[in-house]
PDB file of all heavy atoms in Angstrom:
ATOM      1  N   ASP J   1     -17.440  -4.056  10.133  1.00  0.00           N
ATOM      2  CA  ASP J   1     -17.337  -5.510  10.224  1.00  0.00           C
ATOM      3  C   ASP J   1     -15.893  -5.911  10.543  1.00  0.00           C
ATOM      4  O   ASP J   1     -14.970  -5.659   9.767  1.00  0.00           O
ATOM      5  CB  ASP J   1     -17.771  -6.122   8.889  1.00  0.00           C
ATOM      6  CG  ASP J   1     -17.878  -7.637   8.948  1.00  0.00           C
ATOM      7  OD1 ASP J   1     -16.871  -8.277   9.303  1.00  0.00           O
ATOM      8  OD2 ASP J   1     -18.955  -8.166   8.635  1.00  0.00           O
ATOM      9  N   ASN J   2     -15.707  -6.535  11.717  1.00  0.00           N
ATOM     10  CA  ASN J   2     -14.363  -6.903  12.146  1.00  0.00           C
ATOM     11  C   ASN J   2     -13.712  -7.929  11.230  1.00  0.00           C
ATOM     12  O   ASN J   2     -12.496  -7.894  10.986  1.00  0.00           O
ATOM     13  CB  ASN J   2     -14.403  -7.459  13.571  1.00  0.00           C
ATOM     14  CG  ASN J   2     -14.715  -6.387  14.593  1.00  0.00           C
ATOM     15  OD1 ASN J   2     -14.667  -5.199  14.294  1.00  0.00           O
ATOM     16  ND2 ASN J   2     -15.047  -6.807  15.794  1.00  0.00           N
ATOM     17  N   ASN J   3     -14.497  -8.881  10.732  1.00  0.00           N
ATOM     18  CA  ASN J   3     -13.931  -9.912   9.859  1.00  0.00           C
ATOM     19  C   ASN J   3     -13.392  -9.310   8.562  1.00  0.00           C
ATOM     20  O   ASN J   3     -12.320  -9.696   8.081  1.00  0.00           O
ATOM     21  CB  ASN J   3     -14.987 -10.974   9.544  1.00  0.00           C
ATOM     22  CG  ASN J   3     -15.295 -11.847  10.740  1.00  0.00           C
ATOM     23  OD1 ASN J   3     -14.414 -12.128  11.551  1.00  0.00           O
ATOM     24  ND2 ASN J   3     -16.535 -12.282  10.854  1.00  0.00           N
ATOM     25  N   LEU J   4     -14.135  -8.362   7.999  1.00  0.00           N
ATOM     26  CA  LEU J   4     -13.665  -7.692   6.787  1.00  0.00           C
ATOM     27  C   LEU J   4     -12.430  -6.854   7.087  1.00  0.00           C
ATOM     28  O   LEU J   4     -11.517  -6.750   6.256  1.00  0.00           O
ATOM     29  CB  LEU J   4     -14.775  -6.826   6.199  1.00  0.00           C
ATOM     30  CG  LEU J   4     -15.974  -7.574   5.619  1.00  0.00           C
ATOM     31  CD1 LEU J   4     -17.030  -6.591   5.119  1.00  0.00           C
ATOM     32  CD2 LEU J   4     -15.545  -8.497   4.490  1.00  0.00           C
ATOM     33  N   ALA J   5     -12.392  -6.263   8.277  1.00  0.00           N
ATOM     34  CA  ALA J   5     -11.221  -5.467   8.665  1.00  0.00           C
ATOM     35  C   ALA J   5      -9.976  -6.340   8.756  1.00  0.00           C
ATOM     36  O   ALA J   5      -8.879  -5.927   8.374  1.00  0.00           O
ATOM     37  CB  ALA J   5     -11.478  -4.765   9.992  1.00  0.00           C
ATOM     38  N   LEU J   6     -10.138  -7.561   9.259  1.00  0.00           N
ATOM     39  CA  LEU J   6      -9.014  -8.482   9.349  1.00  0.00           C
ATOM     40  C   LEU J   6      -8.513  -8.867   7.960  1.00  0.00           C
ATOM     41  O   LEU J   6      -7.305  -9.000   7.729  1.00  0.00           O
ATOM     42  CB  LEU J   6      -9.416  -9.725  10.136  1.00  0.00           C
ATOM     43  CG  LEU J   6      -9.621  -9.525  11.641  1.00  0.00           C
ATOM     44  CD1 LEU J   6     -10.185 -10.789  12.270  1.00  0.00           C
ATOM     45  CD2 LEU J   6      -8.321  -9.129  12.313  1.00  0.00           C
ATOM     46  N   LYS J   7      -9.448  -9.061   7.025  1.00  0.00           N
ATOM     47  CA  LYS J   7      -9.052  -9.366   5.651  1.00  0.00           C
ATOM     48  C   LYS J   7      -8.265  -8.205   5.049  1.00  0.00           C
ATOM     49  O   LYS J   7      -7.226  -8.398   4.405  1.00  0.00           O
ATOM     50  CB  LYS J   7     -10.287  -9.630   4.794  1.00  0.00           C
ATOM     51  CG  LYS J   7     -11.043 -10.906   5.118  1.00  0.00           C
ATOM     52  CD  LYS J   7     -12.225 -11.060   4.161  1.00  0.00           C
ATOM     53  CE  LYS J   7     -13.062 -12.271   4.487  1.00  0.00           C
ATOM     54  NZ  LYS J   7     -14.204 -12.433   3.565  1.00  0.00           N
ATOM     55  N   ARG J   8      -8.769  -6.993   5.273  1.00  0.00           N
ATOM     56  CA  ARG J   8      -8.071  -5.818   4.740  1.00  0.00           C
ATOM     57  C   ARG J   8      -6.677  -5.694   5.350  1.00  0.00           C
ATOM     58  O   ARG J   8      -5.704  -5.369   4.663  1.00  0.00           O
ATOM     59  CB  ARG J   8      -8.875  -4.546   5.016  1.00  0.00           C
ATOM     60  CG  ARG J   8     -10.188  -4.449   4.267  1.00  0.00           C
ATOM     61  CD  ARG J   8     -10.757  -3.040   4.345  1.00  0.00           C
ATOM     62  NE  ARG J   8     -11.031  -2.605   5.716  1.00  0.00           N
ATOM     63  CZ  ARG J   8     -12.170  -2.835   6.367  1.00  0.00           C
ATOM     64  NH1 ARG J   8     -13.137  -3.517   5.776  1.00  0.00           N
ATOM     65  NH2 ARG J   8     -12.343  -2.383   7.597  1.00  0.00           N
ATOM     66  N   SER J   9      -6.587  -5.965   6.641  1.00  0.00           N
ATOM     67  CA  SER J   9      -5.298  -5.865   7.308  1.00  0.00           C
ATOM     68  C   SER J   9      -4.314  -6.890   6.761  1.00  0.00           C
ATOM     69  O   SER J   9      -3.121  -6.600   6.594  1.00  0.00           O
ATOM     70  CB  SER J   9      -5.478  -6.059   8.824  1.00  0.00           C
ATOM     71  OG  SER J   9      -4.266  -5.876   9.502  1.00  0.00           O
ATOM     72  N   LEU J  10      -4.809  -8.085   6.481  1.00  0.00           N
ATOM     73  CA  LEU J  10      -3.949  -9.116   5.892  1.00  0.00           C
ATOM     74  C   LEU J  10      -3.475  -8.688   4.508  1.00  0.00           C
ATOM     75  O   LEU J  10      -2.304  -8.877   4.151  1.00  0.00           O
ATOM     76  CB  LEU J  10      -4.704 -10.438   5.815  1.00  0.00           C
ATOM     77  CG  LEU J  10      -3.933 -11.646   5.259  1.00  0.00           C
ATOM     78  CD1 LEU J  10      -2.626 -11.855   6.023  1.00  0.00           C
ATOM     79  CD2 LEU J  10      -4.793 -12.904   5.330  1.00  0.00           C
ATOM     80  N   ILE J  11      -4.364  -8.087   3.729  1.00  0.00           N
ATOM     81  CA  ILE J  11      -3.982  -7.585   2.410  1.00  0.00           C
ATOM     82  C   ILE J  11      -2.955  -6.452   2.551  1.00  0.00           C
ATOM     83  O   ILE J  11      -1.998  -6.362   1.773  1.00  0.00           O
ATOM     84  CB  ILE J  11      -5.216  -7.100   1.633  1.00  0.00           C
ATOM     85  CG1 ILE J  11      -6.133  -8.278   1.282  1.00  0.00           C
ATOM     86  CG2 ILE J  11      -4.796  -6.375   0.353  1.00  0.00           C
ATOM     87  CD1 ILE J  11      -5.501  -9.325   0.392  1.00  0.00           C
ATOM     88  N   ALA J  12      -3.146  -5.582   3.551  1.00  0.00           N
ATOM     89  CA  ALA J  12      -2.175  -4.506   3.794  1.00  0.00           C
ATOM     90  C   ALA J  12      -0.809  -5.091   4.127  1.00  0.00           C
ATOM     91  O   ALA J  12       0.231  -4.576   3.686  1.00  0.00           O
ATOM     92  CB  ALA J  12      -2.659  -3.599   4.921  1.00  0.00           C
ATOM     93  N   PHE J  13      -0.802  -6.178   4.891  1.00  0.00           N
ATOM     94  CA  PHE J  13       0.455  -6.852   5.212  1.00  0.00           C
ATOM     95  C   PHE J  13       1.125  -7.380   3.938  1.00  0.00           C
ATOM     96  O   PHE J  13       2.339  -7.214   3.744  1.00  0.00           O
ATOM     97  CB  PHE J  13       0.197  -8.006   6.184  1.00  0.00           C
ATOM     98  CG  PHE J  13       1.352  -8.943   6.338  1.00  0.00           C
ATOM     99  CD1 PHE J  13       2.434  -8.611   7.132  1.00  0.00           C
ATOM    100  CD2 PHE J  13       1.374 -10.163   5.668  1.00  0.00           C
ATOM    101  CE1 PHE J  13       3.519  -9.470   7.265  1.00  0.00           C
ATOM    102  CE2 PHE J  13       2.451 -11.027   5.800  1.00  0.00           C
ATOM    103  CZ  PHE J  13       3.519 -10.683   6.599  1.00  0.00           C
ATOM    104  N   VAL J  14       0.336  -8.014   3.074  1.00  0.00           N
ATOM    105  CA  VAL J  14       0.869  -8.545   1.813  1.00  0.00           C
ATOM    106  C   VAL J  14       1.453  -7.417   0.969  1.00  0.00           C
ATOM    107  O   VAL J  14       2.571  -7.529   0.433  1.00  0.00           O
ATOM    108  CB  VAL J  14      -0.230  -9.296   1.037  1.00  0.00           C
ATOM    109  CG1 VAL J  14       0.251  -9.652  -0.373  1.00  0.00           C
ATOM    110  CG2 VAL J  14      -0.649 -10.556   1.788  1.00  0.00           C
ATOM    111  N   LEU J  15       0.722  -6.318   0.848  1.00  0.00           N
ATOM    112  CA  LEU J  15       1.198  -5.192   0.052  1.00  0.00           C
ATOM    113  C   LEU J  15       2.441  -4.562   0.669  1.00  0.00           C
ATOM    114  O   LEU J  15       3.339  -4.107  -0.051  1.00  0.00           O
ATOM    115  CB  LEU J  15       0.089  -4.147  -0.099  1.00  0.00           C
ATOM    116  CG  LEU J  15      -1.079  -4.541  -0.999  1.00  0.00           C
ATOM    117  CD1 LEU J  15      -2.174  -3.483  -0.952  1.00  0.00           C
ATOM    118  CD2 LEU J  15      -0.615  -4.754  -2.441  1.00  0.00           C
ATOM    119  N   ALA J  16       2.500  -4.519   1.999  1.00  0.00           N
ATOM    120  CA  ALA J  16       3.684  -3.961   2.663  1.00  0.00           C
ATOM    121  C   ALA J  16       4.920  -4.785   2.331  1.00  0.00           C
ATOM    122  O   ALA J  16       6.006  -4.235   2.093  1.00  0.00           O
ATOM    123  CB  ALA J  16       3.462  -3.905   4.174  1.00  0.00           C
ATOM    124  N   ARG J  17       4.766  -6.110   2.312  1.00  0.00           N
ATOM    125  CA  ARG J  17       5.899  -6.972   1.971  1.00  0.00           C
ATOM    126  C   ARG J  17       6.274  -6.831   0.497  1.00  0.00           C
ATOM    127  O   ARG J  17       7.448  -6.867   0.142  1.00  0.00           O
ATOM    128  CB  ARG J  17       5.570  -8.431   2.312  1.00  0.00           C
ATOM    129  CG  ARG J  17       5.430  -8.709   3.790  1.00  0.00           C
ATOM    130  CD  ARG J  17       6.711  -8.403   4.577  1.00  0.00           C
ATOM    131  NE  ARG J  17       7.845  -9.195   4.147  1.00  0.00           N
ATOM    132  CZ  ARG J  17       8.190 -10.369   4.704  1.00  0.00           C
ATOM    133  NH1 ARG J  17       7.465 -10.869   5.701  1.00  0.00           N
ATOM    134  NH2 ARG J  17       9.237 -11.036   4.271  1.00  0.00           N
ATOM    135  N   LEU J  18       5.266  -6.664  -0.368  1.00  0.00           N
ATOM    136  CA  LEU J  18       5.556  -6.437  -1.784  1.00  0.00           C
ATOM    137  C   LEU J  18       6.316  -5.117  -1.968  1.00  0.00           C
ATOM    138  O   LEU J  18       7.244  -5.028  -2.779  1.00  0.00           O
ATOM    139  CB  LEU J  18       4.265  -6.425  -2.599  1.00  0.00           C
ATOM    140  CG  LEU J  18       3.555  -7.767  -2.779  1.00  0.00           C
ATOM    141  CD1 LEU J  18       2.221  -7.570  -3.496  1.00  0.00           C
ATOM    142  CD2 LEU J  18       4.429  -8.754  -3.563  1.00  0.00           C
ATOM    143  N   ALA J  19       5.909  -4.098  -1.215  1.00  0.00           N
ATOM    144  CA  ALA J  19       6.594  -2.802  -1.290  1.00  0.00           C
ATOM    145  C   ALA J  19       8.020  -2.922  -0.784  1.00  0.00           C
ATOM    146  O   ALA J  19       8.953  -2.331  -1.353  1.00  0.00           O
ATOM    147  CB  ALA J  19       5.825  -1.763  -0.483  1.00  0.00           C
ATOM    148  N   GLN J  20       8.208  -3.685   0.273  1.00  0.00           N
ATOM    149  CA  GLN J  20       9.553  -3.896   0.813  1.00  0.00           C
ATOM    150  C   GLN J  20      10.446  -4.594  -0.210  1.00  0.00           C
ATOM    151  O   GLN J  20      11.614  -4.228  -0.384  1.00  0.00           O
ATOM    152  CB  GLN J  20       9.470  -4.732   2.085  1.00  0.00           C
ATOM    153  CG  GLN J  20      10.817  -4.988   2.750  1.00  0.00           C
ATOM    154  CD  GLN J  20      10.694  -5.849   3.993  1.00  0.00           C
ATOM    155  OE1 GLN J  20       9.617  -6.073   4.518  1.00  0.00           O
ATOM    156  NE2 GLN J  20      11.823  -6.354   4.456  1.00  0.00           N
ATOM    157  N   LEU J  21       9.896  -5.588  -0.896  1.00  0.00           N
ATOM    158  CA  LEU J  21      10.659  -6.280  -1.933  1.00  0.00           C
ATOM    159  C   LEU J  21      11.050  -5.330  -3.058  1.00  0.00           C
ATOM    160  O   LEU J  21      12.148  -5.433  -3.631  1.00  0.00           O
ATOM    161  CB  LEU J  21       9.859  -7.460  -2.486  1.00  0.00           C
ATOM    162  CG  LEU J  21       9.723  -8.678  -1.572  1.00  0.00           C
ATOM    163  CD1 LEU J  21       8.782  -9.704  -2.184  1.00  0.00           C
ATOM    164  CD2 LEU J  21      11.092  -9.309  -1.316  1.00  0.00           C
ATOM    165  N   HIS J  22      10.154  -4.400  -3.390  1.00  0.00           N
ATOM    166  CA  HIS J  22      10.452  -3.423  -4.441  1.00  0.00           C
ATOM    167  C   HIS J  22      11.619  -2.532  -4.030  1.00  0.00           C
ATOM    168  O   HIS J  22      12.450  -2.158  -4.866  1.00  0.00           O
ATOM    169  CB  HIS J  22       9.218  -2.574  -4.728  1.00  0.00           C
ATOM    170  CG  HIS J  22       9.450  -1.492  -5.744  1.00  0.00           C
ATOM    171  ND1 HIS J  22       9.729  -1.758  -7.069  1.00  0.00           N
ATOM    172  CD2 HIS J  22       9.469  -0.137  -5.626  1.00  0.00           C
ATOM    173  CE1 HIS J  22       9.900  -0.621  -7.724  1.00  0.00           C
ATOM    174  NE2 HIS J  22       9.753   0.366  -6.874  1.00  0.00           N
ATOM    175  N   LEU J  23      11.679  -2.192  -2.735  1.00  0.00           N
ATOM    176  CA  LEU J  23      12.782  -1.362  -2.247  1.00  0.00           C
ATOM    177  C   LEU J  23      14.097  -2.126  -2.293  1.00  0.00           C
ATOM    178  O   LEU J  23      15.163  -1.538  -2.509  1.00  0.00           O
ATOM    179  CB  LEU J  23      12.493  -0.889  -0.815  1.00  0.00           C
ATOM    180  CG  LEU J  23      11.329   0.098  -0.658  1.00  0.00           C
ATOM    181  CD1 LEU J  23      11.007   0.305   0.818  1.00  0.00           C
ATOM    182  CD2 LEU J  23      11.663   1.436  -1.321  1.00  0.00           C
ATOM    183  N   GLU J  24      14.024  -3.436  -2.092  1.00  0.00           N
ATOM    184  CA  GLU J  24      15.237  -4.262  -2.074  1.00  0.00           C
ATOM    185  C   GLU J  24      15.713  -4.598  -3.477  1.00  0.00           C
ATOM    186  O   GLU J  24      16.922  -4.589  -3.745  1.00  0.00           O
ATOM    187  CB  GLU J  24      14.971  -5.545  -1.287  1.00  0.00           C
ATOM    188  CG  GLU J  24      14.675  -5.303   0.194  1.00  0.00           C
ATOM    189  CD  GLU J  24      14.222  -6.566   0.907  1.00  0.00           C
ATOM    190  OE1 GLU J  24      14.093  -7.622   0.228  1.00  0.00           O
ATOM    191  OE2 GLU J  24      13.995  -6.504   2.120  1.00  0.00           O
ATOM    192  N   ARG J  25      14.785  -4.918  -4.358  1.00  0.00           N
ATOM    193  CA  ARG J  25      15.108  -5.234  -5.754  1.00  0.00           C
ATOM    194  C   ARG J  25      13.913  -4.815  -6.613  1.00  0.00           C
ATOM    195  O   ARG J  25      12.948  -5.554  -6.753  1.00  0.00           O
ATOM    196  CB  ARG J  25      15.408  -6.728  -5.928  1.00  0.00           C
ATOM    197  CG  ARG J  25      14.401  -7.675  -5.305  1.00  0.00           C
ATOM    198  CD  ARG J  25      14.825  -9.136  -5.494  1.00  0.00           C
ATOM    199  NE  ARG J  25      13.899 -10.079  -4.875  1.00  0.00           N
ATOM    200  CZ  ARG J  25      12.856 -10.632  -5.484  1.00  0.00           C
ATOM    201  NH1 ARG J  25      12.615 -10.329  -6.751  1.00  0.00           N
ATOM    202  NH2 ARG J  25      12.069 -11.481  -4.852  1.00  0.00           N
ATOM    203  N   PRO J  26      13.966  -3.609  -7.171  1.00  0.00           N
ATOM    204  CA  PRO J  26      12.807  -3.014  -7.845  1.00  0.00           C
ATOM    205  C   PRO J  26      12.153  -3.943  -8.864  1.00  0.00           C
ATOM    206  O   PRO J  26      12.825  -4.538  -9.709  1.00  0.00           O
ATOM    207  CB  PRO J  26      13.400  -1.784  -8.537  1.00  0.00           C
ATOM    208  CG  PRO J  26      14.556  -1.414  -7.666  1.00  0.00           C
ATOM    209  CD  PRO J  26      15.134  -2.722  -7.201  1.00  0.00           C
ATOM    210  N   TRP J  27      10.824  -4.055  -8.749  1.00  0.00           N
ATOM    211  CA  TRP J  27      10.071  -4.881  -9.695  1.00  0.00           C
ATOM    212  C   TRP J  27       8.809  -4.170 -10.178  1.00  0.00           C
ATOM    213  O   TRP J  27       8.267  -4.516 -11.219  1.00  0.00           O
ATOM    214  CB  TRP J  27       9.689  -6.221  -9.056  1.00  0.00           C
ATOM    215  CG  TRP J  27       8.823  -6.094  -7.836  1.00  0.00           C
ATOM    216  CD1 TRP J  27       9.233  -5.933  -6.553  1.00  0.00           C
ATOM    217  CD2 TRP J  27       7.395  -6.098  -7.804  1.00  0.00           C
ATOM    218  NE1 TRP J  27       8.154  -5.824  -5.709  1.00  0.00           N
ATOM    219  CE2 TRP J  27       7.006  -5.934  -6.457  1.00  0.00           C
ATOM    220  CE3 TRP J  27       6.407  -6.237  -8.781  1.00  0.00           C
ATOM    221  CZ2 TRP J  27       5.670  -5.886  -6.051  1.00  0.00           C
ATOM    222  CZ3 TRP J  27       5.073  -6.187  -8.393  1.00  0.00           C
ATOM    223  CH2 TRP J  27       4.717  -6.013  -7.041  1.00  0.00           C
ATOM    224  N   LEU J  28       8.339  -3.162  -9.435  1.00  0.00           N
ATOM    225  CA  LEU J  28       7.169  -2.401  -9.867  1.00  0.00           C
ATOM    226  C   LEU J  28       7.560  -1.433 -10.985  1.00  0.00           C
ATOM    227  O   LEU J  28       8.641  -0.833 -10.948  1.00  0.00           O
ATOM    228  CB  LEU J  28       6.600  -1.587  -8.698  1.00  0.00           C
ATOM    229  CG  LEU J  28       5.919  -2.329  -7.555  1.00  0.00           C
ATOM    230  CD1 LEU J  28       5.780  -1.414  -6.348  1.00  0.00           C
ATOM    231  CD2 LEU J  28       4.557  -2.863  -7.984  1.00  0.00           C
ATOM    232  N   ASN J  29       6.671  -1.266 -11.968  1.00  0.00           N
ATOM    233  CA  ASN J  29       6.914  -0.212 -12.944  1.00  0.00           C
ATOM    234  C   ASN J  29       6.409   1.118 -12.376  1.00  0.00           C
ATOM    235  O   ASN J  29       5.830   1.163 -11.280  1.00  0.00           O
ATOM    236  CB  ASN J  29       6.270  -0.541 -14.301  1.00  0.00           C
ATOM    237  CG  ASN J  29       4.754  -0.693 -14.202  1.00  0.00           C
ATOM    238  OD1 ASN J  29       4.074   0.052 -13.504  1.00  0.00           O
ATOM    239  ND2 ASN J  29       4.216  -1.671 -14.915  1.00  0.00           N
ATOM    240  N   LEU J  30       6.616   2.194 -13.094  1.00  0.00           N
ATOM    241  CA  LEU J  30       6.267   3.521 -12.592  1.00  0.00           C
ATOM    242  C   LEU J  30       4.786   3.632 -12.245  1.00  0.00           C
ATOM    243  O   LEU J  30       4.410   4.138 -11.176  1.00  0.00           O
ATOM    244  CB  LEU J  30       6.639   4.578 -13.635  1.00  0.00           C
ATOM    245  CG  LEU J  30       6.226   6.022 -13.310  1.00  0.00           C
ATOM    246  CD1 LEU J  30       6.905   6.495 -12.039  1.00  0.00           C
ATOM    247  CD2 LEU J  30       6.583   6.948 -14.477  1.00  0.00           C
ATOM    248  N   ALA J  31       3.929   3.134 -13.130  1.00  0.00           N
ATOM    249  CA  ALA J  31       2.486   3.227 -12.905  1.00  0.00           C
ATOM    250  C   ALA J  31       2.071   2.426 -11.671  1.00  0.00           C
ATOM    251  O   ALA J  31       1.236   2.875 -10.873  1.00  0.00           O
ATOM    252  CB  ALA J  31       1.728   2.739 -14.138  1.00  0.00           C
ATOM    253  N   GLU J  32       2.648   1.241 -11.505  1.00  0.00           N
ATOM    254  CA  GLU J  32       2.298   0.397 -10.364  1.00  0.00           C
ATOM    255  C   GLU J  32       2.766   1.009  -9.048  1.00  0.00           C
ATOM    256  O   GLU J  32       2.045   0.994  -8.045  1.00  0.00           O
ATOM    257  CB  GLU J  32       2.904  -0.992 -10.541  1.00  0.00           C
ATOM    258  CG  GLU J  32       2.270  -1.810 -11.647  1.00  0.00           C
ATOM    259  CD  GLU J  32       3.056  -3.071 -11.942  1.00  0.00           C
ATOM    260  OE1 GLU J  32       4.285  -3.078 -11.742  1.00  0.00           O
ATOM    261  OE2 GLU J  32       2.433  -4.061 -12.388  1.00  0.00           O
ATOM    262  N   ALA J  33       3.980   1.542  -9.037  1.00  0.00           N
ATOM    263  CA  ALA J  33       4.511   2.156  -7.821  1.00  0.00           C
ATOM    264  C   ALA J  33       3.681   3.370  -7.423  1.00  0.00           C
ATOM    265  O   ALA J  33       3.389   3.582  -6.234  1.00  0.00           O
ATOM    266  CB  ALA J  33       5.966   2.560  -8.029  1.00  0.00           C
ATOM    267  N   THR J  34       3.278   4.157  -8.409  1.00  0.00           N
ATOM    268  CA  THR J  34       2.425   5.312  -8.136  1.00  0.00           C
ATOM    269  C   THR J  34       1.077   4.867  -7.592  1.00  0.00           C
ATOM    270  O   THR J  34       0.546   5.433  -6.626  1.00  0.00           O
ATOM    271  CB  THR J  34       2.233   6.141  -9.411  1.00  0.00           C
ATOM    272  OG1 THR J  34       3.504   6.582  -9.888  1.00  0.00           O
ATOM    273  CG2 THR J  34       1.350   7.352  -9.150  1.00  0.00           C
ATOM    274  N   LEU J  35       0.512   3.831  -8.203  1.00  0.00           N
ATOM    275  CA  LEU J  35      -0.782   3.319  -7.777  1.00  0.00           C
ATOM    276  C   LEU J  35      -0.708   2.756  -6.362  1.00  0.00           C
ATOM    277  O   LEU J  35      -1.609   3.001  -5.539  1.00  0.00           O
ATOM    278  CB  LEU J  35      -1.241   2.234  -8.745  1.00  0.00           C
ATOM    279  CG  LEU J  35      -2.638   1.635  -8.506  1.00  0.00           C
ATOM    280  CD1 LEU J  35      -3.703   2.719  -8.506  1.00  0.00           C
ATOM    281  CD2 LEU J  35      -2.942   0.587  -9.570  1.00  0.00           C
ATOM    282  N   LEU J  36       0.337   2.028  -6.037  1.00  0.00           N
ATOM    283  CA  LEU J  36       0.481   1.469  -4.694  1.00  0.00           C
ATOM    284  C   LEU J  36       0.612   2.581  -3.657  1.00  0.00           C
ATOM    285  O   LEU J  36       0.078   2.462  -2.546  1.00  0.00           O
ATOM    286  CB  LEU J  36       1.686   0.537  -4.643  1.00  0.00           C
ATOM    287  CG  LEU J  36       1.923  -0.184  -3.310  1.00  0.00           C
ATOM    288  CD1 LEU J  36       0.669  -0.915  -2.845  1.00  0.00           C
ATOM    289  CD2 LEU J  36       3.090  -1.153  -3.431  1.00  0.00           C
ATOM    290  N   SER J  37       1.298   3.646  -4.004  1.00  0.00           N
ATOM    291  CA  SER J  37       1.406   4.788  -3.101  1.00  0.00           C
ATOM    292  C   SER J  37       0.035   5.382  -2.808  1.00  0.00           C
ATOM    293  O   SER J  37      -0.299   5.695  -1.660  1.00  0.00           O
ATOM    294  CB  SER J  37       2.322   5.858  -3.704  1.00  0.00           C
ATOM    295  OG  SER J  37       3.638   5.372  -3.900  1.00  0.00           O
ATOM    296  N   GLU J  38      -0.772   5.516  -3.849  1.00  0.00           N
ATOM    297  CA  GLU J  38      -2.125   6.061  -3.676  1.00  0.00           C
ATOM    298  C   GLU J  38      -2.993   5.119  -2.853  1.00  0.00           C
ATOM    299  O   GLU J  38      -3.782   5.564  -2.000  1.00  0.00           O
ATOM    300  CB  GLU J  38      -2.767   6.291  -5.049  1.00  0.00           C
ATOM    301  CG  GLU J  38      -2.133   7.409  -5.865  1.00  0.00           C
ATOM    302  CD  GLU J  38      -2.360   8.769  -5.235  1.00  0.00           C
ATOM    303  OE1 GLU J  38      -3.476   9.032  -4.765  1.00  0.00           O
ATOM    304  OE2 GLU J  38      -1.399   9.553  -5.198  1.00  0.00           O
ATOM    305  N   MET J  39      -2.854   3.829  -3.080  1.00  0.00           N
ATOM    306  CA  MET J  39      -3.634   2.852  -2.324  1.00  0.00           C
ATOM    307  C   MET J  39      -3.298   2.914  -0.837  1.00  0.00           C
ATOM    308  O   MET J  39      -4.182   2.848   0.022  1.00  0.00           O
ATOM    309  CB  MET J  39      -3.372   1.444  -2.862  1.00  0.00           C
ATOM    310  CG  MET J  39      -3.954   1.194  -4.244  1.00  0.00           C
ATOM    311  SD  MET J  39      -3.342  -0.355  -4.990  1.00  0.00           S
ATOM    312  CE  MET J  39      -4.016  -1.587  -3.848  1.00  0.00           C
ATOM    313  N   ALA J  40      -2.014   3.046  -0.520  1.00  0.00           N
ATOM    314  CA  ALA J  40      -1.593   3.117   0.880  1.00  0.00           C
ATOM    315  C   ALA J  40      -2.176   4.345   1.566  1.00  0.00           C
ATOM    316  O   ALA J  40      -2.682   4.268   2.697  1.00  0.00           O
ATOM    317  CB  ALA J  40      -0.062   3.143   0.961  1.00  0.00           C
ATOM    318  N   LEU J  41      -2.127   5.475   0.897  1.00  0.00           N
ATOM    319  CA  LEU J  41      -2.675   6.710   1.461  1.00  0.00           C
ATOM    320  C   LEU J  41      -4.184   6.611   1.645  1.00  0.00           C
ATOM    321  O   LEU J  41      -4.726   6.980   2.695  1.00  0.00           O
ATOM    322  CB  LEU J  41      -2.332   7.894   0.550  1.00  0.00           C
ATOM    323  CG  LEU J  41      -0.881   8.367   0.580  1.00  0.00           C
ATOM    324  CD1 LEU J  41      -0.597   9.275  -0.605  1.00  0.00           C
ATOM    325  CD2 LEU J  41      -0.564   9.075   1.885  1.00  0.00           C
ATOM    326  N   ASP J  42      -4.866   6.093   0.636  1.00  0.00           N
ATOM    327  CA  ASP J  42      -6.321   5.977   0.710  1.00  0.00           C
ATOM    328  C   ASP J  42      -6.755   5.001   1.800  1.00  0.00           C
ATOM    329  O   ASP J  42      -7.724   5.244   2.521  1.00  0.00           O
ATOM    330  CB  ASP J  42      -6.884   5.525  -0.641  1.00  0.00           C
ATOM    331  CG  ASP J  42      -6.810   6.611  -1.699  1.00  0.00           C
ATOM    332  OD1 ASP J  42      -6.624   7.781  -1.335  1.00  0.00           O
ATOM    333  OD2 ASP J  42      -6.916   6.278  -2.896  1.00  0.00           O
ATOM    334  N   TYR J  43      -6.021   3.892   1.924  1.00  0.00           N
ATOM    335  CA  TYR J  43      -6.390   2.902   2.943  1.00  0.00           C
ATOM    336  C   TYR J  43      -6.258   3.483   4.346  1.00  0.00           C
ATOM    337  O   TYR J  43      -7.153   3.352   5.176  1.00  0.00           O
ATOM    338  CB  TYR J  43      -5.517   1.661   2.813  1.00  0.00           C
ATOM    339  CG  TYR J  43      -5.727   0.685   3.945  1.00  0.00           C
ATOM    340  CD1 TYR J  43      -6.932  -0.004   4.088  1.00  0.00           C
ATOM    341  CD2 TYR J  43      -4.734   0.464   4.901  1.00  0.00           C
ATOM    342  CE1 TYR J  43      -7.143  -0.879   5.145  1.00  0.00           C
ATOM    343  CE2 TYR J  43      -4.934  -0.416   5.955  1.00  0.00           C
ATOM    344  CZ  TYR J  43      -6.140  -1.081   6.070  1.00  0.00           C
ATOM    345  OH  TYR J  43      -6.352  -1.932   7.121  1.00  0.00           O
TER     346      TYR J  43
END
């Protein structure tokens, strides 16, 4: 479904910006950073 793919892509964009913010000024805790890494690989 293309519409669902667009939603997922938008969410990936949001997460990418959140990850970028973490690199600039860390805000994720260890568990969250590990989880986000796994989510990126799985996606």
Side-chain angles (χ1 to χ4, degrees):
D1 188 304
N2 290 347
N3 288 326
L4 292 178
L6 289 173
K7 291 182 183 180
R8 293 193 299 273
S9 184
L10 182 54
I11 293 298
F13 167 78
V14 171
L15 289 174
R17 293 300 299 267
L18 289 175
Q20 181 181 347
L21 287 174
H22 177 66
L23 292 171
E24 295 172 357
R25 48 182 178 91
W27 61 273
L28 290 164
N29 61 40
L30 175 62
E32 290 170 331
T34 301
L35 184 57
L36 183 53
S37 298
E38 291 293 318
M39 290 168 64
L41 286 165
D42 288 343
Y43 172 68

